Amino acid sequence: MNRPSSGGGVAPAATQPQEPHRLLRRHHRHHPSRPHQDGALVSVTSLRDRVLLLLSVPVSSSPCHFPAVVNLGDSNSDTGGLSAAFGPVRTPYGETFFRMPAGRYSDGRLIIDFIAESFGLPYLSAYLDSLGTNFRHGANFASAGATIMPQNVTLSQGGYSPFSLDVQLDEFLQFKSRSQTIYERGGVYRELMPRKEYFSRALYTFDIGQNDITAFSFLNISANDYIPNALNEFSSVIKSIYEEGGRSFWIHNTGPLGCLSYVLLRMPLTAEQLDSAGCAIPYNHYLSRQKDRDFDFRQNT
């Protein structure tokens, strides 16, 4: 899985992968061994094939009003998807805010929760959760352990979630279609399903890619060949949602691998390999090198 807000995660096995992207806030935070992290909220009227071009668009300073949020991602933004499918999240997850496990691989809220709060919206229900859910103001398709591209090791083998980004897109497309059929039944269903116009006015957030990069770093091999394919897949998903009417996108940057709790737990590190925040310098540098190669790739396409 990936970095939780302030907790652990379930570590996938270090097996051959078959990824890179993430949020942070509207300001930059820098640490000597960590690359800059940022997010960008962009509202677009045309879409280039290379969705990464969106990241260079300045953040809008005008007030944002979204009636719904739709999220695709991994454990950084999973509010109960994997838990609903494969068994409940256990304590101590959820202890600092919800006072109980709440489907999140964190001891409290996730960034997606704060995004919903900032727009005056309820926390997103996981699409895979059938109990007590309300999709009036959006849905969450994220799954802990998810990757941009399908992996060749299953979750039961200690690998990755089967709900990769392409599967999450399929879920969204089905949700968009079926929710309107249900909404038209009237009555209570109109309080549980989004209005048709919400899909074009919603904020679409993406927080996925870190699991792919972590898999390569554990194997200590280059992700050069993988990254272009992952970027093409990521771009294709964004484009598909754009073609379905989506216009506002928030794309999260990839967080520092060396600060992941499962990296620190499973990898042997010396004191000299830890920075002042206790993060693993070699793994943060690995991500920086991949970002440099990614930039070269984009410059040549």
Side-chain angles (χ1 to χ4, degrees):
M1 260 65 346
N2 307 30
R3 68 177 194 285
S5 284
S6 49
V10 180
T15 49
Q16 179 66 40
Q18 287 230 19
E19 163 174 308
H21 286 142
R22 228 147 275 290
L23 157 83
L24 279 346
R25 305 188 184 185
R26 296 192 177 188
H27 62 277
H28 295 286
R29 294 181 291 180
H30 183 61
H31 190 276
S33 74
R34 303 181 213 173
H36 283 295
Q37 307 174 63
D38 51 41
L41 174 59
V42 293
S43 184
V44 296
T45 55
S46 63
L47 185 69
R48 304 282 182 92
D49 286 341
R50 295 291 171 198
V51 69
L52 291 178
L53 291 176
L54 295 176
L55 297 181
S56 64
V57 178
V59 174
S60 172
S61 60
S62 59
C64 299
H65 301 286
F66 299 104
V69 176
V70 175
N71 181 70
L72 292 81
D74 51 34
S75 65
N76 292 316
S77 58
D78 182 359
T79 56
L82 191 75
S83 175
F86 294 104
V89 173
R90 307 292 184 183
T91 55
Y93 292 123
E95 64 180 358
T96 65
F97 181 79
F98 298 101
R99 305 301 178 188
M100 60 182 291
R104 295 155 173 80
Y105 288 90
S106 169
D107 60 6
R109 289 165 289 181
L110 303 174
I111 293 174
I112 190 65
D113 295 317
F114 291 105
I115 289 177
E117 283 184 5
S118 71
F119 297 129
L121 302 177
Y123 299 140
L124 291 183
S125 291
Y127 173 75
L128 295 173
D129 194 352
S130 60
L131 300 174
T133 49
N134 187 319
F135 300 113
R136 170 76 167 176
H137 296 286
N140 193 352
F141 300 92
S143 169
T147 51
I148 289 179
M149 302 201 34
Q151 303 297 302
N152 57 10
V153 180
T154 67
L155 193 66
S156 62
Q157 295 173 312
Y160 300 88
S161 169
F163 303 107
S164 51
L165 189 58
D166 59 327
V167 176
Q168 294 181 33
L169 174 63
D170 287 340
E171 291 174 337
F172 164 72
L173 295 175
Q174 182 174 188
F175 172 76
K176 183 173 182 285
S177 173
R178 294 187 62 197
S179 65
Q180 295 313 289
T181 300
I182 296 173
Y183 182 88
E184 291 303 321
R185 296 177 184 173
V188 67
Y189 296 111
R190 299 207 168 193
E191 299 302 317
L192 298 174
M193 296 293 142
R195 297 177 181 177
K196 182 178 181 179
E197 62 269 22
Y198 283 6
F199 288 97
S200 61
R201 297 168 53 201
L203 173 64
Y204 291 85
T205 59
F206 298 82
D207 193 348
I208 193 167
Q210 193 164 289
N211 286 325
D212 309 73
I213 296 298
T214 303
F216 280 97
S217 68
F218 281 165
L219 294 170
N220 196 28
I221 60 176
S222 171
N224 276 4
D225 295 334
Y226 183 84
I227 286 178
N229 293 328
L231 293 180
N232 286 334
E233 175 65 18
F234 190 81
S235 300
S236 176
V237 169
I238 301 282
K239 187 173 183 179
S240 294
I241 292 178
Y242 179 87
E243 291 171 347
E244 289 292 321
R247 290 297 181 270
S248 298
F249 301 89
W250 183 289
I251 301 172
H252 295 230
N253 193 12
T254 304
L257 303 183
C259 298
L260 291 168
S261 55
Y262 70 76
V263 168
L264 295 171
L265 285 171
R266 70 186 296 171
M267 307 308 295
L269 297 164
T270 66
E272 292 72 25
Q273 291 177 306
L274 300 176
D275 64 22
S276 60
C279 296
I281 296 172
Y283 289 92
N284 287 341
H285 285 177
Y286 175 89
L287 185 56
S288 297
R289 292 195 299 271
Q290 301 310 309
K291 286 185 175 182
D292 291 340
R293 292 163 182 160
D294 169 34
F295 179 77
D296 292 337
F297 163 73
R298 282 182 278 157
Q299 291 290 85
N300 294 317
T301 56

